[in-house]
Amino acid sequence: MTWFRSLSLLLVVATASFLCASATDVKTVDTSKKQPETKNELPPELQGHPPVTKQTRLELIRTMQAEFGFAKRLFPKGDKGLQLTSAGQVSPDDQAVAIQVATYGPAAKPGDKLQITDVVIKDSLIVFDINGGSKKKGHWYDHVQVGGGGGMVPVHQEKGANNPGCTLALVFPKYVPEMTATDVKKMLSPLIDFTVKSPTQAYIDTLPPKLKQSIENHQALVGMNKEMVIDALGRPPKRIRESDGEVDYEEWIYGTPPADVQFVRFVNEEVTRVEHIQVGGEKVVKTAREVKVNAVTGAATIVDPNAPQTASAQTPPEAGPTATAEAKKPPKAPTLRRPGEEAEDQKGARIGKDTGELGSKPIPTSTGPEPEWGTKPASSTTTSPTNSSDAPLPGAGQLPPVNPR
């Protein structure tokens, strides 16, 4: 029993000596991967610029708001968001961003398309709301509830209470300097890529040069579809729907007098007529097709102006020579007859009835020499029985006698 206690005491002493020896060899290792902070400085092209003016502030907000881009790194949801200094340093680090994404979810992944929905310029930073921002924009009536015996029901139930976006703050050393929107996009380039073209611009670049130039110059061409007109002139402030005979059309009106006014007429989603009335009173009307758009693929081609083809949507493209001959016929004169009713002279019938009344028979022409005016005829005409319906009228074919005064 004594030897067992001695052995236990020896084991305890040996273990304690081993722990003390290992404690002296412990080394501290820094596992954090934080990058050393650098001094926030302005880019070389902005150094020495004065603080931003009110006019530049409005231009930056107007230009950057609703701008599209593509994410170059992970954007997390939540109230914290991301910070980017004017020197190009991003915070928080990747580990903290991963924790935010695991907690709240991602607002945009690398390569996703995003949009700047709001811009706020403060003393030394510019705050951008990405995809709606991270803060819920509520109303006072969101907290009001009504109910009775069946329970309480909120007055206003807003869909999508949690905004899917985040915030991005661009931090400057002392103040926001005087700069342009291009400078802002260049400083945001570590996080957002603005060089990628929008879908509209990418589509415009695929169009023929003449059509592309017309859209960039805000001109409507005959044959365009509604999307092209919106790209060129914007959404119309006024629309009217009318009918020209059996053809229904929609007309978009741009401008109001005394400024220039432009009327763009659509028939079956295609521009068939463009009328431009200038300030001086000069009116330019175009009806010949200038552009041909494939309704299925959307491909557009320029039509030869010397070709006799027009943009009228009334005649189908498969019309043959019969339709051409019908188009060349002169229009019919107006008439009071019912459809399908023919004139009596076309049927070969006599105008009057066979009752001996005036106008029932044609007047026979005289075979002899015409007598002189004021003299009595050389021979009198024979009278026919009055009861005969085919007898000519008395004095038919002769001049009336002159009563001397």
Side-chain angles (χ1 to χ4, degrees):
M1 196 68 184
T2 303
W3 66 270
F4 181 75
R5 291 179 180 177
S6 301
L7 180 61
S8 300
L9 182 59
L10 291 174
L11 290 175
V12 171
V13 172
T15 304
S17 61
F18 175 76
L19 292 176
C20 291
S22 60
T24 57
D25 297 336
V26 173
K27 297 181 180 180
T28 303
V29 180
D30 187 9
T31 58
S32 63
K33 298 182 180 180
K34 295 182 179 180
Q35 299 179 356
E37 295 184 0
T38 59
K39 185 178 180 181
N40 189 12
E41 295 181 354
L42 291 175
E45 60 271 12
L46 298 180
Q47 291 182 2
H49 284 205
V52 61
T53 61
K54 183 179 180 180
Q55 181 65 25
T56 304
R57 185 190 300 265
L58 295 176
E59 291 180 359
L60 291 177
I61 294 175
R62 188 184 301 111
T63 305
M64 296 302 301
Q65 194 167 0
E67 187 72 17
F68 287 93
F70 288 83
K72 299 179 69 174
R73 60 168 296 172
L74 191 62
F75 283 76
K77 294 181 181 179
D79 298 335
K80 296 183 179 180
L82 298 177
Q83 285 189 357
L84 175 64
T85 63
S86 57
Q89 186 176 1
V90 183
S91 62
D93 56 3
D94 296 340
Q95 185 177 0
V97 170
I99 295 175
Q100 293 184 25
V101 171
T103 305
Y104 304 103
K109 298 179 181 179
D112 289 350
K113 189 175 182 179
L114 51 82
Q115 183 183 18
I116 299 176
T117 54
D118 193 14
V119 180
V120 178
I121 301 178
K122 299 183 180 180
D123 295 336
S124 61
L125 54 88
I126 304 177
V127 181
F128 302 93
D129 281 355
I130 307 297
N131 292 340
S134 58
K135 295 183 179 180
K136 177 184 175 181
K137 299 176 178 61
H139 307 277
W140 62 269
Y141 48 81
D142 293 337
H143 306 281
V144 179
Q145 294 182 352
V146 295
M152 304 297 293
V153 179
V155 176
H156 179 253
Q157 295 181 354
E158 185 177 357
K159 297 182 180 180
N162 297 326
N163 289 340
C166 66
T167 57
L168 171 61
L170 180 61
V171 184
F172 296 89
K174 297 180 180 180
Y175 55 84
V176 178
E178 185 77 8
M179 56 185 172
T180 62
T182 304
D183 298 329
V184 177
K185 293 180 180 180
K186 186 177 180 180
M187 285 185 284
L188 295 178
S189 59
L191 299 178
I192 305 176
D193 184 10
F194 293 99
T195 59
V196 182
K197 299 176 182 179
S198 62
T200 302
Q201 185 64 34
Y203 173 70
I204 292 176
D205 290 343
T206 61
L207 300 176
K210 180 181 178 181
L211 182 56
K212 178 182 177 180
Q213 184 178 3
S214 300
I215 293 178
E216 293 177 351
N217 295 338
H218 308 291
Q219 297 177 354
L221 302 179
V222 179
M224 284 183 171
N225 54 23
K226 291 186 176 180
E227 294 180 359
M228 293 180 179
V229 175
I230 292 176
D231 293 338
L233 302 176
R235 296 190 176 277
K238 185 177 181 180
R239 304 183 186 185
I240 58 174
R241 295 179 181 272
E242 297 289 344
S243 60
D244 186 6
E246 298 180 355
V247 180
D248 297 333
Y249 66 87
E250 181 180 359
E251 200 155 39
W252 293 3
I253 304 175
Y254 294 90
T256 55
D260 292 355
V261 182
Q262 192 167 1
F263 300 87
V264 182
R265 182 175 297 184
F266 290 91
V267 176
N268 298 332
E269 304 294 325
E270 179 184 333
V271 178
T272 59
R273 188 176 187 270
V274 177
E275 181 179 352
H276 188 196
I277 303 178
Q278 301 179 2
V279 178
E282 182 180 358
K283 182 171 67 174
V284 179
V285 180
K286 296 187 297 183
T287 57
R289 185 192 294 273
E290 301 172 277
V291 181
K292 186 176 182 180
V293 182
N294 191 326
V296 179
T297 62
T301 56
I302 300 297
V303 178
D304 185 8
N306 298 325
Q309 186 179 10
T310 61
S312 176
Q314 302 179 19
T315 305
E318 294 82 5
T322 305
T324 305
E326 292 290 338
K328 292 183 178 180
K329 288 183 177 180
K332 294 182 179 180
T335 179
L336 297 178
R337 301 187 185 94
R338 299 186 180 89
E341 184 179 359
E342 297 181 1
E344 294 294 336
D345 52 354
Q346 295 179 358
K347 296 180 181 180
R350 287 173 293 187
I351 298 177
K353 298 180 180 180
D354 297 338
T355 56
E357 61 184 4
L358 183 64
S360 61
K361 292 293 181 178
I363 299 175
T365 59
S366 176
T367 56
E370 185 177 355
E372 295 182 1
W373 181 261
T375 60
K376 187 176 180 180
S379 60
S380 60
T381 55
T382 58
T383 58
S384 301
T386 56
N387 56 355
S388 176
S389 60
D390 296 335
L393 294 176
Q398 300 177 1
L399 295 175
V402 178
N403 297 327
R405 295 182 182 179

